[in-house]
Amino acid sequence: MSTDAPGERLTLVETAKTTKAVPAARNAGRRGARRRLGPGRPIPYGRALGPLLLLAFWSAGSATGLIDARNLSAPWTVVTTAGDLIADGRLQSNVWTSTVRALSGLAYGTAAGLVLALIAGLSRLGEGVIDGPVQIKRGIPSLALIPLLILWFGIGESMKVITIALGAFVPVYIHTHNGLRTIDSRYVELAETLGLSRPRFLLHIVLPGALPGFLLGMRFAVTAAWLALAVVEQVNATSGIGYMMGLARTYGQTDVIIVGLVVYGLLGLLSDGLVRLVERKVLSWRRTLAG
């Protein structure tokens, strides 16, 4: 028969509850701290916030007269001009020409960067032969090679596509090569222990290990392709967005120039978004801060 007084038993029960609550509170605090350390949950259409704010400032500046229309046309003027260009078919035709140029150069540059990265990443001899020249090319802007490329290939489409390919080639090579070199050596040792053939080793070890780096390189490559396109279309082009903008510069048509810049930006944003989508689908097994 217990001799504890009712007050003492109550005190013991409260103490036990408090003792159990302390670790729970501590764990809850830790979970809260972990939640605070991360960037938080994704915001629906959060990537549109920056462009919308920029558009709002642009509209406000144009409406209040802080932005001179001779230097930067108002957004509604640009929309009207874009409608006129679409109505007469000029915008669609030039966008199609530019897209074909950019995708052609991007395809050649991606293929060259991927093949050379595989050779350099899987062979010491290949790395010794390939990596040095690529690093030298990395230090030379592709656009600085335009005078030399004009001497070699003329001022036609070949020069334009090659310039775009050189801009896209380097980031694909650099990031894919880095992805190959950072594959955990324990996976290679495991493949050797299991006696995997060379094709199976490439398929099950090399490809998954290099894929994150390759996709990151592709994001830089698509941006580099559009940047190179914007420059080469100023060189003796008879069609394309850059040609349309150059012609507008001659006649002082600021609104047409802004339409061209907006189209370049939208194409670059769309390209990057497509690569991001592929990255999320293909690398869905990774757990990162991006969610």
Side-chain angles (χ1 to χ4, degrees):
M1 186 173 183
S2 173
T3 59
D4 293 340
E8 293 177 351
R9 284 199 299 271
L10 182 59
T11 302
L12 291 174
V13 172
E14 292 176 347
T15 302
K17 290 181 178 178
T18 303
T19 304
K20 292 179 180 179
V22 169
R26 186 181 297 118
N27 291 334
R30 290 174 180 172
R31 287 195 296 270
R34 283 198 295 270
R35 284 195 293 269
R36 286 194 297 270
L37 289 176
R41 295 183 179 181
I43 301 175
Y45 307 105
R47 295 187 183 280
L49 292 177
L52 288 176
L53 285 174
L54 182 61
L55 180 60
F57 285 125
W58 181 15
S59 301
S62 298
T64 57
L66 293 177
I67 299 177
D68 191 343
R70 292 172 298 180
N71 297 325
L72 182 62
S73 300
W76 42 89
T77 304
V78 173
V79 171
T80 302
T81 301
D84 295 338
L85 292 173
I86 293 173
D88 61 19
R90 289 171 54 198
L91 186 60
Q92 301 94 304
S93 175
N94 288 317
V95 168
W96 174 252
T97 302
S98 295
T99 301
V100 171
R101 282 185 185 134
L103 292 181
S104 299
L106 180 63
Y108 287 124
T110 300
L114 182 59
V115 170
L116 293 180
L118 289 173
I119 296 173
L122 300 176
S123 168
R124 293 295 183 183
L125 177 60
E127 184 178 39
V129 173
I130 295 172
D131 194 61
V134 173
Q135 297 299 334
I136 294 174
K137 165 61 189 73
R138 183 186 179 190
I140 302 175
S142 298
L143 303 181
L145 296 174
I146 289 180
L148 188 60
L149 293 176
I150 290 175
L151 291 176
W152 288 350
F153 302 103
I155 54 178
E157 287 297 311
S158 297
M159 181 276 296
K160 296 176 177 60
V161 172
I162 291 172
T163 303
I164 296 169
L166 288 174
F169 154 74
V170 173
V172 172
Y173 172 87
I174 293 295
H175 291 283
T176 305
H177 181 265
N178 180 68
L180 289 169
R181 284 304 185 192
T182 54
I183 294 176
D184 196 326
S185 61
R186 290 175 294 182
Y187 294 130
V188 181
E189 294 170 359
L190 178 61
E192 292 173 348
T193 302
L194 296 175
L196 290 183
S197 63
R198 190 74 172 180
R200 289 174 63 86
F201 169 69
L202 293 175
L203 179 63
H204 296 290
I205 303 296
V206 172
L207 181 59
L211 199 54
F214 169 73
L215 291 174
L216 178 61
M218 281 300 300
R219 290 188 58 193
F220 285 99
V222 294
T223 302
W226 290 113
L227 290 174
L229 175 73
V231 175
V232 297
E233 286 191 332
Q234 307 288 331
V235 181
N236 196 50
T238 57
S239 60
I241 304 171
Y243 165 75
M244 182 182 72
M245 294 171 62
L247 199 61
R249 178 195 60 202
T250 303
Y251 294 102
Q253 297 173 317
T254 309
D255 51 348
V256 176
I257 295 175
I258 300 300
V259 169
L261 292 175
V262 170
V263 171
Y264 274 136
L266 290 176
L267 290 173
L269 190 63
L270 178 61
S271 303
D272 184 69
L274 289 175
V275 178
R276 282 174 178 266
L277 178 61
V278 172
E279 188 176 26
R280 283 198 299 270
K281 297 295 183 182
V282 175
L283 304 179
S284 58
W285 49 270
R286 295 198 307 174
R287 296 181 61 87
T288 63
L289 285 176

